[in-house]
Amino acid sequence: MKHITHNDADLTAFGKIVDGKAIAATIRQSLKSRVKKLKEQNVIPGLAVILVGDNPASAVYVRNKLRSCAELGIASSKFLFPTDASPPDILRLIEDLNANPEVHGILVQLPLPPHFNVTDILETISASKDVDGFHLYNVGGLVVGNTVFPPCTPYGVVKLLEHERVPIEGKNVVVVGASNIVGKPMALMLMQKDATVCICHAKTRDLAQFTILADILVVAAGYPKLILAPMVKTGAVVIDVGINRLPTGQLVGDVDFEEVRKKAALITPVPGGVGPMTVTMLLENTISAAERKTAKADSISI
Ligand code: NAP
């Protein structure tokens, strides 16, 4: 007899495709009302985005972020620099933005050109405006379980799992990919939710021996068809973070979607899965920053 608690997803069915776009739209609706409340207090949440160089993917990401801000009523400003921009100029701009009360969030689009010291740049952003969650202070907060800016992509995955009512506590989670922006924070967030977490990376020997154990498999490696159906446990929840452009122009994830879908209980598509959630979490972090700032100002004025 299957036992499903009232709030948990039914993970005994197969191949449910998680509609990240629809979930993101629902969350954005609730964010709109938070923006409205801030506006009633004469506060317009503000995001500053710095883009250095002409990486076409970065340009697309920045365009999406700015468009999403506009849709929600978040004020955004864009600062464009050529590839040979001088790092001190960017550091000075960040200092100015740190001091600007109308800017609640600052984001430097990565990757930066090779002559930049990324750590220097990220550490210059005020920890209270670090909406990407990459400042060491916020990374430390993540480790001890109380960061105020969870990094957007893994935060989006957590929100997807919550929305689909996937139980996390006590589950075996395998995260494939150990980057600072996706894999590591993902593992920490799910560990914080009492999952048993294993992280795999490029030097993991026999990846399948780990992935097959996963109740929840999160894949963020950047290789098409890295995860094939025999590597996945029947009834697993499969979250595909990867974004790969095939020579045909098609956009695919890291998971063999059609085959894995037949075994998985839930699976995210690419595109339309994790992607829309990432930008939504950036908006949420920006609004939260504005709310915190406003609450602080209120409590000081009392
Ligand atoms: P990254 O910095 O290149 O990191 C990739 C990670 O995967 C590394 O830890 C690497 O291991 C590991 N890896 C590489 N090949 C592997 C293999 N064969 N088996 C197991 N692990 C392997 O990339 P990232 O920034 O984390 O992004 C990962 C993917 O997610 C990319 O496709 C990216 O485009 C996508 N992404 C999507 C979103 C979204 O919103 N949907 C957001 C961010 C990133 P080592 O550490 O040993 O090198």
Side-chain angles (χ1 to χ4, degrees), residues 153 176-179 181-182 201-202 207 220-223 226 241-243 274-275 278:
T153 300
V176 180
S179 72
I181 65 168
V182 188
H201 45 76
L207 186 60
Y223 280 93
L226 178 65
V241 181
I243 302 177
V274 175
T278 296

Side-chain angles (χ1 to χ4, degrees), residues 61 152-153 176-183 199-204 207 219-223 226 240-244 252-254 270 273-279:
Y61 294 144
C152 302
T153 300
V176 180
S179 72
N180 290 335
I181 65 168
V182 188
I199 309 183
C200 300
H201 45 76
K203 294 180 191 72
T204 298
L207 186 60
V219 192
Y223 280 93
L226 178 65
D240 193 352
V241 181
I243 302 177
N244 308 289
V252 297
D254 292 352
V270 179
V274 175
M277 296 297 288
T278 296
V279 180

Side-chain angles (χ1 to χ4, degrees), residues 109-129:
Q109 185 66 42
L110 300 179
L112 285 166
H115 65 286
F116 277 82
N117 179 328
V118 179
T119 309
D120 278 356
I121 297 287
L122 296 180
E123 293 317 291
T124 304
I125 296 173
S126 161
S128 64
K129 298 190 177 189

Side-chain angles (χ1 to χ4, degrees), residues 268-289:
T268 60
V270 179
V274 175
M277 296 297 288
T278 296
V279 180
T280 305
M281 295 304 108
L282 171 69
L283 304 173
E284 145 115 39
N285 277 348
T286 305
I287 294 165
S288 297

